[in-house]
Structure formats: C-alpha cells, structure tokens
Amino acid sequence: MSGTFIGMPKFQTAAKEALGNSQQRRNLQHATHTIREKRARVVEELDDWEGLRQAGADIKDNVLSHLDTYLVQLEESLTRAGATVHWAGDAAEANEIVTSLVRATGADEVVKVKSMATQEIGLNEALEEAGIAAWETDLAELIVQLGHDRPSHILVPAIHRNRAEIREIFLREMGHVGTPPPAGLTSEPRELAEAARVHLREKFLRAKVAISGANFAIAETGTLVVVESEGNGRMCLTLPETLISVVGIEKVLPRLEDLEVFMQLLPRSSTGERMNPYTSTWTGITPGDGPQQVHVVLLDNGRTDALADTVGRQALRCIRCSACLNVCPVYERVGGHAYGSVYPGPIGAILNPQLRGTTSEVDQSLPYASSLCGACGDVCPVKIEIPDLLVHLRTRVVDEHRGGMPSGEEIAMKGAAWMFSDHRRWEKAQKGAELGGRMFRKKDTIGRLPGPLSAWSDARDAPVPPAESFRTWWKREKEGQ
Amino acid sequence: MRVALFATCFNDSMWPETPKAVVTILERLGVTVEFPLEQTCCGQMFTNTGYAREALPLVERFADVFGEYDAVVAPSGSCVGSVRHQHATVASGCDRPALADRARTTAGKVFELSELLVDVLGVTDVGATFPHRVTYHPTCHSLRMLRVADKPLRLLREVRGIDLVDLPSAEECCGFGGTFAMKNSDTSVAMGSDKAHHVRETRAEVLVAGDNSCLAHVGGLLTRQRSGVRVMHLAEVLASTERDFAVDNELGDPPAATTTQHTDTEATT
Ligand code: SF4
C-alpha cells in the first residue's frame, strides 16, 4: 500500500528535489525545532545524563561483543515462556516466516504496532502480495499508509505533513479501507485523533493477528518490551489471539534491570518526555490473558555484517530514538525521503550502508550526506560517534573503488596529496596561484568559476587568491629571502 | 617555550592576512613564533572525503615537522580538530601503530588560536581595538570537536570599541563541511542561506569566526546577496589596533560612544 524505497537515486539528487518543497521545509523546520528544544529541556534536568549515556553505551557494547551467548539465552527463555522462536537471515526469509504464520491462522488481515524492523524488511508489501491486509495502527504510520506515502522519520513517520494535509488524506482515503471520518472534519488535532480512533477501533476489535517489533528483548527472562505514546500498540499486543514480533538481533539486553538505564534515555531522547505514556512488556504466553500464540522472529538482515566491522559496529547500539534526526541540519532541510530508506538522517547515513552494503548509488552517497557538524554525536543517548563513522564509511566507499578506472575525484585527490607531500612542490603551486591573484588584482570576489567548481559559484561568490602567499611574505619579512 | 605556527594550507595560499595576524598578536604578547617552511597540509580534506591513504603521508609529515616544538598554534578550528581527533586514527587505520603514537603526542601540543591565548598564555585582553559591530559564529569543529566553548568570545569581549552582538542559532552548522559544499552544494547553500539570514538579522558589519573556510562559504553568500556584510577571521580582529583606524579618526569617523568606551576600558586596565 505505501510506497517503497527501491531504486532511489543518490542522496544529492533526491535532496535537491526535496529542498524545493517549501511546505515540507516549513513542516520539518517547525517539528524538528520543537522536539529539539523539548529534548534539551528534559535532558538538562538530569545531573547524571552523561553517566546514563555511558551506561547505555557500555551495556550495548557488552551485548554486541557477546551477541551469540545472549541470543541463545534469549531463545531458551522465550521457549520456556511458551513463545516460538524463528530465525531469519534476511528480509525475504523473515517475510516468508511471517506470511506463513499468518496464513496458518486463516486470517486475511493483521493489525500492526509501529515497528522499524518490519518497515525495514518491507513486510506490509510482502503481506499484501500474499493477499493479507496489514493495518498500521500508529497514528503517524496510519497517515503515511493512507496517503500512499513513505515514512520520513523514525519516530514521527508523517513529520513532513501538517494538519491540513492530514485532514485531506483522512477525508480522501479512510472510507476506502474502513470507517470513514465525519463529513465536517476540521484540522483540529482533537478531531483528527478522534477520526483515527474510531477508524482503528473497528480494526482492533476484529483482528485475530497482530504484528509488532520490540524496543528491547531481555535475554534472562524472555521478556519483550514496546515503548509507545498512543496506547494503540497496547491494543494490538493484548486483543488478538496471535502475536508475531519481528525483532532485530541487536535489540537483546542481558537483564531486566538494564531497562532502568534505557527507560531514562529513550523517552527523553525521542519525544522529549520524562516518561512515555505506554510501556508494554510480555513474556511468552500467560494462559487466559492476552495472545495465546506468541511468535518471535529474530532478524539478522545485515546486522552480522555490521558486527564484523569493529569500528562500524557501534551503529548497532542504536535505540532508534531519532534525536540525531531532529538535531541534524541536513535532515531538517531535506527531510527523510532523500535517504532512500526507512532509516533516514544521521543514523540512516551510517546504518544503511552497513546493513545493505555499499553497492548501490544511494548507499554509496549516504556517508557523504553530512557536513560533519557533530550535532548528532552530541545528542546520541548511546554515544555513537556518528561523525567518525561517517568518515569511516567514506573511506570504505573510496577504498572499494580503488583499482578500477580512477574517477576524476580520485585523480584530483591523488594529485593534491602528491603536491602536499613535498613542500617544494607546494611552493611551486602557490607561485601559480599568486600569478592568478595578480590577474584578479582589481576584484574582491569571483562570481563565476568553470567546470565542477561551478557547484561552488552557482550561489556563492568565490574568494580571489592573494598576490602573495603567507610563505612568500614570511620568507621576505622574517628570513630576508 | 618554542612556539611554531601551522598556517594551514588554505590560509597560507588564500588568506595570508590570517597567519600574519597570528604573528602580530603573538609578537605583541612577547612570544616569538617560528614558521617551519617544510609544513604543508594537515590532510583533513583527504581524510574527510574518504582518502585516508592519501592523508597518511601528510599525517607523518605533520609529526615530523611539528613534533619538536613545545606548542603549535593554528588559526583554524577544523584543522586543529583533524590533527587532534583524526591523525592517530588515520595512522592506526593504515596499520602504523608507532606513527599513531607519535601523532597522538604531537597532537597534544597543537592548539587552536583561542586555546593558545586563553589556556596556554592565560590572556584574554590581547590589546586589540576594533570599533565595529561584530557578530561571532562558533564553527562546528571549534565548538563540538575542540570544545573551545566561549574562549573566542572572551577574547572578543576585551577588544576596545567593539560592539559584539549575539548571533541567533549560533551553534547551527553553516553548511560548509569541506567537500560537502561541493558534493551536496544544494543542501550546503540551503544551510548557508539560513546562517546568512541570521547574520543579517544582527545588523552586524562584520561576521567573525575561527575558520576561513566556513567564512568563505557564508561570506560568498553574503557578497552574492550584496548584503554589505564582510567576514573576518578572529585573528585579524584580535590583531587590529588603534593605529589601523587612524585614518577613520582623521575623518572624525568613530562615533562618540565608541571613543568613550575606548577611554573607559583603558582607564580600568
Ligand atoms: S543513532 Fe543515537 S541518536 Fe540516532 S536514533 Fe540511534 S540512538 Fe538515537
């Protein structure tokens, strides 16, 4: 039902188009700044924020370096609690498992808890192909789904939409797939939420199967945890007979006590709240209460590739809070779609090329989708050094290209490095620049540059080289040469 | 104490007034500064674009040239950031652990201008005069990589005659980002336009920062807009003295307020 990211152009091309969308620019600027400021306020309240971040990073690092042990422990705990564990190596395998589990129940529809993992594997599309309707129940996901749109934010997938646009989507689309909104619907948030509530209620009460992800999976007890704001997730997790959860293997935490750290880090970083309204936990099956068929699909889909890179693996600490998106000056201007993935923004720029590899145009361009300003690294609750990882992945992209036909950039870089590797060569090059500087003597700036340099001068004047370099001046003034 | 100046390749060839200003300030404070001619480039552009192997010889060269000094000063937050934060990583990434150690030791003695002045020399008043309305942009690498915090502002506040105004959303990136400015020029310009807008909001005559590359980007936008705002490196403001404004004085130019403030400040020092 919703659009997919397959075949996206490289970031630069998609970004250029997005920059021209003034309504989206306005929506994003307003939303990101609002959350950014809320986050800053609630983080400032905690004296030990830095300690919490370090604890979060340490717990995750420990998990990542003993992932095999914790996963086996998780499987044992889940099985003991009555859940059935499935292992999925990639997206296709996970989709197949979930599809056949739903088919076995005889249901032709499922309700969904907001989940990044199922978005990542394109589960809705796979279910649709199998004739199973998947209803998103998170308000923002619902807006995206009804609008045949793609998510543009981890936490607020419809962040690029404003109230007036949402009203239009509801009026146009809701009636086709269930209870329509009232005819006189306005763009008042309360009315919009009420229309969604009535629309979703029908689906909750009818559903036999629910599909979720999980924010955390506790190895010791086999407990899964979903953190949310609306309570719609809670409806899905408790009403249907069958519950299928798709969980990335990096979501495992050793003990229940570890939640103490993450339940402080996550809500503050994501919605800027001290505590989120709904936290659901379930441990396998409780007879007579809630779903009586509980399945857990543990998903790799590139995660072990990321784990193999000792530098890059810290990206797997991510708890999908989206603080790095909200603070990113690039994301704020281009929005999420340009990243060609359900993971946009700084985390998307370091995660996608690791999960999907660096063969496609878009994945090769993502590590460059940053000015390396460092704002993301400063807010990340699990201290992922995002700027360092961007540089690390740039090096990977460049190194993978070596050996073939060198690009113009590679030739230029190699030439410049050769020049800088001996100061006499550098001085000769400076003499050339001084000559140019004397030619432009009468000008303060240059308005137009040739060839690839026009990328600079299209919108910016360029500085005129001086008639004399610092080195020439120093030699004359200080060394009498 | 032997102090070396690392001019940085961009300043050396494009903005020589900036390293000259560093020499002026340090000599005024009684510090003799050396300029080792073997220096070239810190390799930041290579590292940040993914060319670590090309950066490696420059990392080695930097340690060779500057390793022997007690302190090295550079008028660029991002080049010092690269030396301090990336040189050892580049060396270890290329399997050169001994060089990584040497790079780490050298990096410990490399300071951005405001760090050298405030932390090492312990001065905030460098005897400058600059009777203009100024706003300051803290560049990302000074702010978030070096954590220079308010050191540049503490230096600027001591400048005689200056009318220093806050820049709205100062901590947001200007959009330069090295090769980002070329590879993602549309996004870079979108970010720079917002920065230029905030600069113009302050009605400052001069935008000051500690990195000429960021200034070339925002300044290039400001001149294209014919905004009448000029950009200037922090070092050049700090090097300015009364003598630089003598001509203005003859024309009876500086407003009364500026002159008063000037006298007041002198009376208290
Ligand atoms: S990378 Fe860090 S800041 Fe970004 S979503 Fe993940 S945990 Fe949050």
Side-chain angles (χ1 to χ4, degrees), chain A residues 429-441:
Chain A
Q430 280 188 324
K431 289 286 166 214
E434 288 176 350
L435 201 69
R438 285 196 287 275
M439 267 165 52
F440 282 108
R441 196 85 153 262

Side-chain angles (χ1 to χ4, degrees), chain B residues 232-244:
Chain B
M232 212 164 161
H233 193 282
L234 174 70
E236 292 172 47
V237 173
L238 297 179
S240 301
T241 57
E242 233 176 312
R243 204 181 305 153
D244 298 318

Side-chain angles (χ1 to χ4, degrees), chain A residues 373 394 409 447 461 471, chain B residues 37 39 48 144 183 194 224:
Chain A
C373 83
R394 290 176 185 190
E409 179 187 280
D461 284 349
R471 187 177 294 261
Chain B
L37 288 165
Q39 64 178 280
N48 281 348
R144 284 180 278 266
K183 279 178 181 280
D194 289 343
R224 179 64 59 89

Side-chain angles (χ1 to χ4, degrees), chain A residues 61-119:
Chain A
D61 279 352
N62 169 48
V63 164
L64 292 173
S65 44
H66 302 99
L67 195 56
D68 48 349
T69 318
Y70 288 120
L71 283 173
V72 170
Q73 194 189 1
L74 176 68
E75 183 181 29
E76 286 165 3
S77 309
L78 279 166
T79 312
R80 211 182 309 124
T84 312
V85 176
H86 312 259
W87 297 87
D90 58 19
E93 215 178 315
N95 287 332
E96 223 174 271
I97 295 169
V98 177
T99 309
S100 60
L101 287 172
V102 178
R103 275 220 183 102
T105 67
D108 61 358
E109 64 170 4
V110 300
V111 284
K112 282 191 70 206
V113 184
K114 179 174 166 22
S115 134
M116 293 310 299
T118 60
Q119 294 268 16

